[in-house]
Amino acid sequence: MTAVVEKPRTAGPAPAPVRRDRRIGRPLLVAVILGAWLVLFAALRGRHTLSLAAADLTGLHRWFNDVNDAIGADRDSNPLFLYFFNEIRLVVDTLVTFVQELISQPSAGRPLPQIGWLGVVGLAGYVSWAVGNWRVALLAVAGFTFLGLQGLWQESMDTLALTLSAVVTALLFAIPLGVWAGVSDRVDRVLKPFLDFMQTMPTFVYLAPLTLFFLIGPASATIATVIYAAPPAVRITAHAVRSVPEATVEAAESLGATRGQALLKVLLPLSRRTVILGVNQSIMAALAMVTIAALIDAPGLGKTVVQALQSLDVGTAFNAGLSIVVMAIVLDRVTTAAGVRAEAARRSGSRFAAWRRPLLGAGGAVALVLVYLSHTYVWAAEFPGEGGVGRSIASAADTATLWVQDHLSGLTNTVRDVLTEGLLNPFQTLLTDSPWWLVGAVLVALGTVFGGRRAGITAAVCVGLLVGTGLWSDAMTTLASTVVATVLVMLLGVALGVWMGRSALVDRLVRPTLDAAQVMPPFVYLVPFLALFGATRFTAIVAAVVYAAPVATKLVADGVRQVPAATVEAATAAGCGTWQLITKVQLPMARGALTLATNQGLIYVLSMVVVGGLVGAGALGYDVVAGFSQGQLYGKGLAAGLAIVLLGVMFDRITQAAARRTSA
């Protein structure tokens, strides 16, 4: 054997110690926080829960009531109201009354509006053709005629009048602000936090404070709609202006164009299509708010839906909800067609394009004749018939509801009971029966883990203010429903979104349905689930899931689709199966999209869960509705609106911060 001679070791620098990353991962931190919560809950259950009975008021609620009473007493003597709020209310009332007398309400001693149904249908068809194409015009004519056949012509025109008044007013401010934000970084930085906050707030929240200054009625409804409809137009217009290539603007300036000329001749024309998309989004937001504003006595289809929901009249609610859907589809398709018509006309070399202007002139003459006839003759002003189609639809909906209740109640009740007893009730008990300070500490800790220090501070501030509203227990009940619904939204959104992201065919088939679902106002979602599950909080949760799923699904699908094809091919070549490819490659690389989908899902769910207060969801939604209908609970309803805002801000800031940290 050969002896092994060990070489002598030479002195030298000691090797650097291996540095180990001892940071604890987020999943472990979350598990520790939740585990500690469960242990402390078992020991402290039922203590310091800050529960409040439905009829009880806190000092803050009574103070809000006193402020409301004082404002009511001084409304006609206080200079701030005499020369500011009352004047705004008068201007808005005048505008709304003018549009209503034009198309929906009797005016100037006439038993009918200035323009009857035939004129409105003719104008709708002509405007749709002028800004879009003949197919959209046919859809508009058919849609508006269907509104009359349902027996809801006047209610539909009231809704249209409020929507048009609010959108026109909103665009007068929103488009100039959007252009200004598009050309000025400073203005954009100032406006962005306000726009984020306004779009985070659920629709319910706008109503209560506005009634304090503008009373219950169409004026408050219109002003709330203006505030809610303006942010999409501002944000999308600013984005459109910023998206114009800098080289194009520089070329125009090099040719001697001033800033004003560059704006009018280059920036606005090139951003026209995207600006019209902003108008489209404002119209959809306005229609959603106008229907919900029925809670503060706004006329139209929303009032019919609210009354039907409160009396559990599914047939009437379904018929009115269908009218809202039809109007939303028509308005959406018309504005969408307006955005693409000019570009399509430039690309088209057909000889028909040369005849478009003379044909439009002839069509305008026909529309004017129809307007004259509807102004002059009763048969052209008052929609014929007595709404037989609407009664048939309502009867069919009632029949279907009875059939479902008779034949599917076992299935629907089982689904409801399993999810309620197995998931919702235990989580709600954990939130409402834990000491308030323990839940607050958990929320702050989770906010810090997911979103960082600033998100944790935001959560702490929101928790403190939630305690101050005196509605901690109701807020926790709403929080439980929101979290459970969001979990269901993400399960559905991830499953369907991954399928869409991996298959172009599935995306083409499913995306139009998701787009159409996003057009429908929140009220409409309550009707079918009221028939399936009755007036319970589970109805609101299921409606919230269906309402929020489209936006979450599309965000997940886009995130999966943006994973580089080379990465997917490399993983496939390495032997990854389909399940491994999805869970180990595509979803991890789409974490930013998943977090953003969670953010949007939470905001959509919160707004819908609150609306569900109309069908038995209770908690903060019920508090807001009760505040409108019972004067002594007005202050409590106002505090509930504030609590909803705080929940929305907390959710939004934590998930947005988490999205930024994930994508960084």
Side-chain angles (χ1 to χ4, degrees):
M1 295 179 59
T2 306
V4 178
V5 180
E6 183 177 355
K7 294 183 179 179
R9 295 180 179 179
T10 57
V18 178
R19 299 184 62 183
R20 298 181 182 273
D21 190 356
R22 297 182 180 273
R23 290 182 301 175
I24 302 175
R26 289 185 198 171
L28 181 57
L29 281 175
V30 171
V32 170
I33 293 170
L34 296 181
W37 183 12
L38 292 175
V39 171
L40 291 174
F41 168 76
L44 302 172
R45 181 174 182 175
R47 302 180 187 177
H48 309 130
T49 58
L50 301 182
S51 59
L52 186 71
D56 290 346
L57 302 177
T58 67
L60 177 66
H61 305 160
R62 295 189 185 91
W63 183 78
F64 281 151
N65 284 338
D66 293 341
V67 170
N68 185 38
D69 293 340
I71 288 176
D74 298 340
R75 190 177 299 277
D76 295 327
S77 58
N78 190 306
L80 183 62
F81 281 88
L82 282 175
Y83 304 111
F84 184 70
F85 291 118
N86 289 355
E87 291 298 320
I88 294 176
R89 181 169 176 265
L90 177 62
V91 170
V92 173
D93 262 337
T94 302
L95 173 62
V96 173
T97 301
F98 169 75
V99 181
Q100 283 183 301
E101 291 180 347
L102 198 63
I103 63 174
S104 66
Q105 296 289 340
S107 63
R110 292 167 51 88
L112 294 167
Q114 296 291 333
I115 303 176
W117 77 271
L118 190 62
V120 172
V121 170
L123 285 175
Y126 175 70
V127 171
S128 302
W129 181 27
V131 303
N133 53 60
W134 64 270
R135 296 182 185 86
V136 176
L138 288 179
L139 174 65
V141 169
F144 275 72
T145 303
F146 181 70
L147 297 176
L149 294 174
Q150 289 180 279
L152 295 170
W153 179 260
Q154 182 171 327
E155 292 87 345
S156 300
M157 292 304 100
D158 279 330
T159 297
L160 181 63
L162 262 67
T163 301
L164 292 179
S165 301
V167 168
V168 169
T169 305
L171 294 181
L172 288 176
F173 299 96
I175 291 182
L177 277 177
V179 172
W180 194 11
V183 299
S184 170
D185 291 337
R186 180 178 299 176
V187 173
D188 185 63
R189 287 194 299 269
V190 171
L191 287 179
K192 190 173 182 180
F194 291 99
L195 298 177
D196 290 341
F197 178 72
M198 292 168 69
Q199 289 191 287
T200 300
M201 292 169 61
T203 49
F204 253 26
V205 177
Y206 288 87
L207 303 181
L210 287 173
T211 60
L212 189 66
F213 299 102
F214 300 105
L215 297 177
I216 290 176
S220 292
T222 305
I223 294 169
T225 305
V226 168
I227 296 172
Y228 188 67
V234 175
R235 191 185 296 275
I236 295 176
T237 300
H239 171 72
V241 172
R242 288 180 177 275
S243 298
V244 175
E246 293 184 6
T248 305
V249 181
E250 292 172 357
E253 292 176 346
S254 67
L255 293 175
T258 63
R259 293 189 63 182
Q261 290 173 325
L263 176 64
L264 296 175
K265 301 293 185 180
V266 179
L267 287 173
L268 290 181
L270 290 179
S271 59
R272 173 185 171 187
R273 179 173 179 177
T274 307
V275 171
I276 293 176
L277 175 62
V279 174
N280 170 277
Q281 293 301 299
S282 287
I283 291 174
M284 294 299 102
L287 184 58
M289 177 58 93
V290 162
T291 54
I292 291 177
L295 293 170
I296 56 172
D297 203 30
L301 295 168
K303 180 175 288 188
T304 305
V305 175
V306 170
Q307 292 172 348
L309 289 175
Q310 291 176 336
S311 61
L312 302 183
D313 185 353
V314 176
T316 301
F318 183 83
N319 188 42
L322 182 60
S323 297
I324 296 172
V325 172
V326 169
M327 184 176 292
I329 290 174
V330 170
L331 295 177
D332 177 63
R333 293 298 179 266
V334 169
T335 49
T336 301
V340 301
R341 189 197 66 77
E343 183 178 346
R346 285 196 300 268
R347 290 199 306 263
S348 175
S350 66
R351 290 174 295 178
F352 179 76
W355 290 91
R356 178 175 173 83
R357 185 168 296 177
L359 289 173
L360 284 176
V366 172
L368 290 176
V369 170
L370 296 178
V371 169
Y372 171 77
L373 292 175
S374 70
H375 178 77
T376 308
Y377 299 101
V378 174
W379 63 267
E382 189 174 19
F383 200 94
E386 298 180 355
V389 172
R391 286 196 300 272
S392 299
I393 292 172
S395 177
D398 286 331
T399 302
T401 299
L402 291 175
W403 186 90
V404 167
Q405 292 173 348
D406 291 339
H407 295 83
L408 299 180
S409 59
L411 176 62
T412 57
N413 290 343
T414 299
V415 173
R416 181 190 64 197
D417 293 342
V418 167
L419 288 177
T420 301
E421 300 297 332
L423 183 60
L424 179 59
N425 284 351
F427 186 52
Q428 180 174 315
T429 300
L430 180 63
L431 285 168
T432 57
D433 287 4
S434 293
W436 70 267
W437 51 264
L438 175 59
V439 179
V442 170
L443 291 174
V444 172
L446 291 177
T448 305
V449 170
F450 288 120
R453 184 180 302 173
R454 289 186 178 180
I457 294 173
T458 301
V461 172
C462 290
V463 166
L465 294 176
L466 277 173
V467 173
T469 64
L471 296 171
W472 177 263
S473 183
D474 284 353
M476 292 303 99
T477 301
T478 298
L479 175 61
S481 299
T482 302
V483 171
V484 169
T486 303
V487 170
L488 297 176
V489 165
M490 291 309 298
L491 290 175
L492 179 60
V494 169
L496 189 54
V498 168
W499 193 17
M500 290 172 60
R502 290 173 53 83
S503 171
L505 176 61
V506 173
D507 187 87
R508 285 195 300 270
L509 293 175
V510 175
R511 191 171 288 267
T513 303
L514 300 180
D515 293 338
Q518 284 190 269
V519 170
M520 294 191 294
F523 263 9
V524 178
Y525 288 89
L526 293 175
V527 177
F529 299 110
L530 178 64
L532 285 173
F533 301 106
T536 66
R537 56 183 174 165
F538 186 72
T539 300
I541 290 176
V542 177
V545 171
V546 178
Y547 178 60
V551 63
T553 300
K554 291 198 292 185
L555 288 170
V556 173
D558 293 341
V560 171
R561 190 178 301 106
Q562 290 172 5
V563 174
T567 304
V568 176
E569 292 172 359
T572 304
C576 287
T578 301
W579 179 251
Q580 291 175 316
L581 188 63
I582 293 171
T583 57
K584 302 296 184 182
V585 179
Q586 291 176 312
L587 287 180
M589 295 191 69
R591 284 194 303 268
L594 291 173
T595 311
L596 181 59
T598 305
N599 169 272
Q600 293 299 296
L602 273 169
I603 300 304
Y604 274 66
V605 163
L606 178 62
S607 65
M608 191 67 195
V609 165
V610 172
V611 172
L614 292 169
V615 292
L620 295 177
Y622 172 80
D623 293 333
V624 174
V625 175
F628 294 135
S629 57
Q630 304 176 46
Q632 71 275 17
L633 296 179
Y634 178 84
K636 192 172 186 179
L638 197 59
L642 176 60
I644 295 167
V645 172
L646 294 171
L647 286 176
V649 170
M650 183 168 62
F651 287 152
D652 183 64
R653 292 298 177 266
I654 291 174
T655 51
Q656 279 200 18
R660 288 192 296 268
R661 293 181 69 180
T662 301
S663 58

